[in-house]
C-alpha cells in the first residue's frame, strides 16, 4: 500500500492521498526534502554557542578535533544536550506557572474558574505541609498557589518544595548526595544557560549532572506542578469512554479541533461549545463536534471525554479533511505549517497565546479574566467558518476506535480498591510478585517524522502485552494506542498474555465494567507523566524498596521534542530504565554516550538510557531488564 513507510494509521494514509491530490505539503514531504540531514548535527558535534563558530568536530578523526575555543566533542555534545533539557524544562515550567497563576486568580475571584476538586486541593496542601483545618477552598487554593510561586522565586539554598513534598524520600536523599536538587526552575534554567555559554564549564560530567538537576526541575516544577494544579482547577480524571482518530470529525457538524497543551482555554472552549450548540444549529449544522490533537487533546479527553482527532504528525492532515472549521492552538508542538495548510481550505487557525503567534492565522488573545468571552468568540468564529465550508473538498476517513481513558492514580487505586478496600495496591503487587503481571512499562512521548507514524508504539506494546507486561501511556503514544484499539477491554482479550488477561479481567469485573480493564491505561498528557511517577513511587513505598528496584521500565519509542528529552532524563533520575526508539544526538561523544547508557549514571541513579530503534528488539531489552529486576527482588 502507498504511504506505508509514513504511517501505519489507515486514516492518515487516506489523508496523505488527499493531500497529494490537493497539492498540500506535509511534514513527510519536508522531511524528505531535508535528506540527507547533517551528520554533524545528528551526532551532536556542531557548536554555535559563540560567534567564532559554527565549529564542527570531525567524527572520523582526520579533521579538526577541537572548536576554535578548544572545546572537543565530549564538551560540545554535553553542552548541546543540556541546552535541549533547558528547552524542555522551560516549556513545562512555563505551562505549570500559567496554571498556578490561574489558580491564584481563581481563588481571588479574578479568573472565572471554579475550584473543582477540593479533595485534590486538600491532599496537595497536606503534602506541602499546609494546614488545611478550617480553611475554605479559596483560601487554601491561594496558599497552595503561593507555595508554588515561592518555588519559582526561591533564592535560598533549600530545594524546591514541590520536589521534597512529592518525590520519594530515598530519591531526595540520593539527589541531595549528588548535589543535584533544584532550587527553582527559572534559576536552574538560567544557571544552565550560563554554564553552557562559551568559556564557562568544560567538564562533560559536570554538565551531565546539571542535566540531571534540570530534569528534576522539569519533573517537579513542570510536570508534577502542572498536573496538581490542573486537577485542582478542573478535576482529577476518572475513567471515561470516548473515541479516537479522524473519523470522529462529523460532516454535518461544526468541527473545532483543540490543539496544544495548556487546558486553561480549552476547558472553556469545551464548556462554550456545549452551550452554543443552538447557534451552530441556526447556522445549518447538526451541532458542534469537538476533538483534540496532541496533549491538550489528552487533557480534554481525560476530564471531559472529548474525542481525539489524531496525534502530532497528523495535525496538517486533520485540516486536509476539509471538514475542520477552526483549529484553536495554544502552545507547543504546533507546526508552523498549519496556516499554509489551512489556506487551501476554509479552516480558521486561531492562535491564542502571546508567545505563539503564526502569520496567516487569526490571533484571539487569551486573557484569563476574559476567558469566557474569548472561548465564546472562538466557538462563534468556527460557526462562521462552517458557513464557508466547501462540501466538495470534504473527505473524512471512516476510521475511529473506541477508547477508555481517565486513569489518574486516584482512578487506578479506586479500581483496585474494589478488590481490596483496605489495601488497594496489594492485589497489583501480589500479581506482580506471583508473576501474573511480569512488570509494567510506561510507553510515552511523541511521533517523529523519522519513524513510521505509530509503528514503534504499536510494535513495542504488542510485544510487551504478549509477555504479560502491563502498559501505561501518555502523550502522543497514548493517541497512537487509542487509534489502534489498545485502550479497550477487547484489547485485553486480543493482545494480553494469559495471566495478564486474567488480572485485567478480575480488576475490570470488580470495578463494575463486566469486562477486562484495558491492557494499556491512558494516564494523560505529557505533564501527566507525573502521575506515572506517583504510581511507581506508591508501588515502591508499598513494597518498601526504591523505585530503581522495581520490575518496570519506560519507553519513548518515537520521541521528537526537547520536552521528551527532559522527561526521559527525569525518568532515569528516578531510577527507571528508559528506552529511546530514536537515536539522540549524542553519539559524537563516546564519553557522554557511555555516561548516559551505563556508568556512572546507572550506579549513581539506578536508571539509564537504552537506545534501540527496532521496537521488537526494544521489547526484548525491556523484558530482559524487567526479569533481571524480578530476579534481584527474588520474585
Ligand atoms: O507534550 S508527546 S509530540 S504533543 S511533546 Fe508533543 Fe511529543 Fe506529542 Fe504533548 Ni508530549
Ligand atoms: Fe566554536 Fe567554542 Fe564558539 Fe562553540 S563556543 S562556536 S566550539 S569557538
Amino acid at each position: 500500500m502507498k504511504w506505508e513507510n509514513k504511517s501505519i494509521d489507515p486514516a492518515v494514509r487516506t489523508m496523505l492521498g488527499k493531500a497529494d491530490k490537493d497539492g498540500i505539503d506535509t511534514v513527510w514531504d519536508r522531511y524528505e526534502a531535508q535528506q540527507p540531514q547533517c551528520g554533524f548535527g545528528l551526532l551532536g558535534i556542531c557548536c554555535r554557542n559563540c560567534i567564532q563558530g559554527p565549529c564542527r568536530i570531525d567524527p572520523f578523526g582526520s579533521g579538526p578535533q577541537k572548536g576554535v575555543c578548544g572545546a572537543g566533542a565530549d564538551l560540545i555534545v554535553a553542552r548541546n544536550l543540556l541546552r535541549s533539557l533547558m528547552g524542555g524544562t522551560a516549556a513545562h515550567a512555563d505551562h505549570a506557572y500559567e496554571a498556578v497563576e490561574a489558580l491564584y486568580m481563581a481563588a481571588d475571584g479574578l479568573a472565572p474558574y471554579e475550584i473543582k476538586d477540593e479533595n485534590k486541593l486538600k491532599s496537595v496542601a497536606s503534602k506541602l505541609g499546609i494546614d488545611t483545618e478550617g480553611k475554605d477552598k479559596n483560601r487554601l487554593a491561594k496558599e497552595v498557589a503561593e507555595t508554588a510561586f515561592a518555588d519559582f522565586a526561591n533564592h535560598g539554598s533549600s530545594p524546591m518544595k514541590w520536589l521534597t513534598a512529592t518525590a520519594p524520600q530515598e530519591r531526595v536523599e540520593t539527589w541531595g548526595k549528588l548535589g543535584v536538587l533544584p532550587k527553582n526552575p527559572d534559576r536552574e534554567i538560567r544557571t544552565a544557560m550560563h554554564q553552557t555559554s562559551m568559556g564557562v564549564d568544560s567538564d562533560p560530567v559536570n554538565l551531565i549532572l546539571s542535566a540531571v538537576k534540570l530534569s528534576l526541575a522539569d519533573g517537579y516544577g513542570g510536570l508534577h506542578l502542572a498536573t496538581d494544579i490542573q486537577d485542582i482547577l478542573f478535576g482529577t480524571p476518572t475513567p471515561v469512554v470516548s473515541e479516537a482518530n479522524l473519523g470522529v470529525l462529523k460532516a454535518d457538524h461544526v468541527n473545532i479541533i483543540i490543539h496544544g497543551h495548556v487546558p486553561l482555554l480549552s476547558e472553556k472552549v469545551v464548556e462554550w461549545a456545549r452551550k452554543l450548540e443552538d447557534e451552530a444549529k441556526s447556522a445549518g449544522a447538526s451541532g458542534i463536534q469537538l476533538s483534540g490533537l496532541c496533549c491538550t487533546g489528552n487533557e480534554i479527553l481525560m476530564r471531559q471525554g472529548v474525542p481525539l482527532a489524531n496525534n502530532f504528525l497528523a495535525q496538517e492532515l486533520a485540516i486536509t479533511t476539509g471538514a475542520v472549521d477552526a483549529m484553536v492552538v495554544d502552545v507547543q508542538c504546533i507546526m508552523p505549517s498549519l496556516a499554509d495548510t489551512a489556506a487551501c481550505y476554509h479552516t480558521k487557525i486561531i492562535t491564542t497565546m502571546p508567545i505563539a503567534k503564526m502569520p496567516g492565522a487569526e490571533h484571539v488573545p487569551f486573557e484569563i479574566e476574559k476567558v469566557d468571552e474569548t472561548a465564546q468568540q472562538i466557538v462563534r468564529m468556527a460557526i462562521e467558518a462552517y458557513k464557508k465550508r466547501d462540501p466538495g473538498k470534504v473527505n473524512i476517513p471512516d476510521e475511529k476506535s473506541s477508547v477508555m481513558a481517565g486513569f489518574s492514580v486516584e482512578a487506578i487505586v479506586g479500581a483496585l480498591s474494589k478488590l481490596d478496600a483496605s489495601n488497594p495496591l496489594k492485589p497489583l503487587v501480589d500479581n506482580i510478585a506471583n508473576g501474573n503481571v511480569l512488570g509494567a512499562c510506561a510507553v510515552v512521548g511523541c511521533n517523529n517524522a523519522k519513524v513510521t507514524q505509530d509503528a514503534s508504539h504499536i510494535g513495542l506494546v504488542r510485544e510487551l502485552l504478549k509477555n504479560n507486561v502491563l502498559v501505561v501511556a501518555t502523550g502522543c503514544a497514548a493517541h497512537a494506542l487509542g487509534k489502534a484499539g489498545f485502550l479497550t477491554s477487547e484489547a485485553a482479550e486480543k493482545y494480553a498474555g494469559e495471566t495478564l488477561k486474567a488480572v485485567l479481567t478480575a480488576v475490570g469485573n470488580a470495578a463494575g465494567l463486566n469486562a477486562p480493564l484495558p491492557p494499556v491505561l491512558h494516564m494523560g498528557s505529557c505533564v501527566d507523566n507525573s502521575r506515572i511517577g506517583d504510581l511507581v513511587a506508591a508501588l515502591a513505598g508499598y513494597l518498601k524498596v526504591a523505585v530503581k528496584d522495581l520490575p518496570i521500565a519506560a519507553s519513548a519509542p518515537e520521541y521528537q521534542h526537547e520536552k521528551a528529552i527532559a522527561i526521559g532524563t527525569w525518568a532515569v533520575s528516578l531510577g527507571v530504565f528508559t528506552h529511546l526508539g530514536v537515536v539522540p544526538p549524542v553519539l559524537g561523544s563516546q564519553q557522554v554516550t557511555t555516561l548516559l547508557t551505563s556508568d556512572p549514571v546507572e550506579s549513581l541513579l539506578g536508571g539509564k538510557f537504552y537506545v534501540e530503534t527496532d521496537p521488537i528488539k526494544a521489547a526484548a531489552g525491556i523484558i530482559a531488564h524487567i526479569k533481571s529486576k524480578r530476579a534481584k527482588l527474588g520474585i
Side-chain angles (χ1 to χ4, degrees), residues 43 87 107 203 417 541 547:
L43 295 172
D203 180 357
S417 70
V547 169

Side-chain angles (χ1 to χ4, degrees), residues 164-496:
T164 50
T166 58
Q169 194 49 40
E170 177 273 341
R171 284 289 100 174
V172 178
E173 283 160 21
T174 304
W175 299 329
K177 281 188 206 131
L178 281 174
V180 295
L181 284 170
K183 298 177 188 78
N184 145 356
D186 293 353
R187 183 169 159 190
E188 303 309 344
I189 293 165
R190 180 189 72 211
T191 304
M193 199 71 196
H194 179 194
Q195 187 180 2
T196 53
S197 68
M198 191 268 148
V200 183
D201 202 349
S202 56
D203 180 357
V205 177
N206 203 38
L207 286 154
I208 297 301
L209 281 171
S210 289
V212 171
K213 191 189 235 187
L214 217 55
S215 81
L216 302 180
D218 185 66
Y220 301 96
L223 314 182
H224 212 295
L225 183 52
T227 301
D228 285 342
I229 304 295
Q230 289 169 182
D231 280 356
I232 292 170
L233 271 176
F234 303 123
T236 302
T238 53
V240 62
V241 174
S242 188
E243 292 177 321
N245 213 339
L246 291 173
V248 304
L249 298 172
K250 290 191 180 139
D252 60 351
H253 279 56
V254 174
N255 288 300
I256 304 177
I257 292 190
I258 305 177
H259 178 14
H261 283 78
V262 186
L264 295 177
L265 175 61
S266 48
E267 278 280 333
K268 286 290 184 183
V269 174
V270 175
E271 182 184 326
W272 282 101
R274 287 172 182 163
K275 287 184 184 159
L276 298 177
E277 192 101 33
D278 283 344
E279 290 189 24
K281 287 182 181 156
S282 310
S286 305
I288 298 176
Q289 176 66 24
L290 289 165
S291 55
L293 267 168
C294 287
C295 279
T296 248
N298 284 322
E299 299 279 3
I300 52 179
L301 165 70
M302 294 282 285
R303 296 196 184 85
Q304 303 289 348
V306 171
L308 299 171
N310 217 299
N311 48 2
F312 172 71
L313 276 180
Q315 53 189 278
E316 296 160 311
L317 297 179
I319 297 172
T320 306
T321 60
V324 178
D325 303 300
M327 185 182 279
V328 194
V329 305
D330 50 52
V331 287
Q332 303 169 18
C333 300
I334 299 149
M335 287 192 197
S337 60
L338 289 181
D340 292 342
T341 312
C344 301
Y345 304 93
H346 72 297
T347 310
K348 274 224 171 311
I349 305 289
I350 304 169
T351 57
T352 54
M353 295 295 165
I355 61 161
K357 296 189 177 179
M358 185 185 293
E362 202 145 331
H363 191 72
V364 178
F366 168 79
E367 285 165 44
I368 207 155
E369 301 91 333
K370 297 189 207 139
V371 64
D372 280 308
E373 289 83 346
T374 311
Q376 289 175 64
Q377 188 185 345
I378 288 168
V379 173
R380 292 196 171 112
M381 283 167 77
I383 296 171
E384 276 311 302
Y386 168 81
K387 296 180 189 161
K388 302 198 186 88
R389 193 194 290 174
D390 176 355
K393 284 192 174 176
V394 174
N395 178 3
I396 301 173
D398 293 333
E399 284 80 10
K400 60 178 174 178
S401 170
S402 171
V403 297
M404 187 182 283
F407 289 99
S408 56
V409 175
E410 291 84 344
I412 293 172
V413 171
L416 289 170
S417 70
K418 301 281 164 30
L419 285 173
D420 188 336
S422 59
N423 223 345
L425 289 177
K426 188 171 183 295
L428 181 58
V429 169
D430 286 352
N431 278 296
I432 294 174
N434 66 20
N436 284 342
V437 178
L438 188 70
C441 184
V443 180
V444 305
C446 323
N447 290 141
N448 181 323
K450 291 179 176 172
V451 182
T452 302
Q453 185 192 15
D454 301 344
S456 293
H457 292 305
I458 305 306
L460 176 82
V461 168
R462 211 191 279 263
E463 283 298 304
L464 293 175
L465 295 180
K466 198 161 76 187
N467 286 281
N468 298 304
V469 174
L470 178 68
V471 173
V472 297
T474 56
C476 287
H479 282 253
L481 292 156
K483 289 186 290 172
F486 283 74
L487 308 183
T488 58
S489 296
E490 297 77 55
E493 305 283 353
K494 213 161 152 187
Y495 302 111

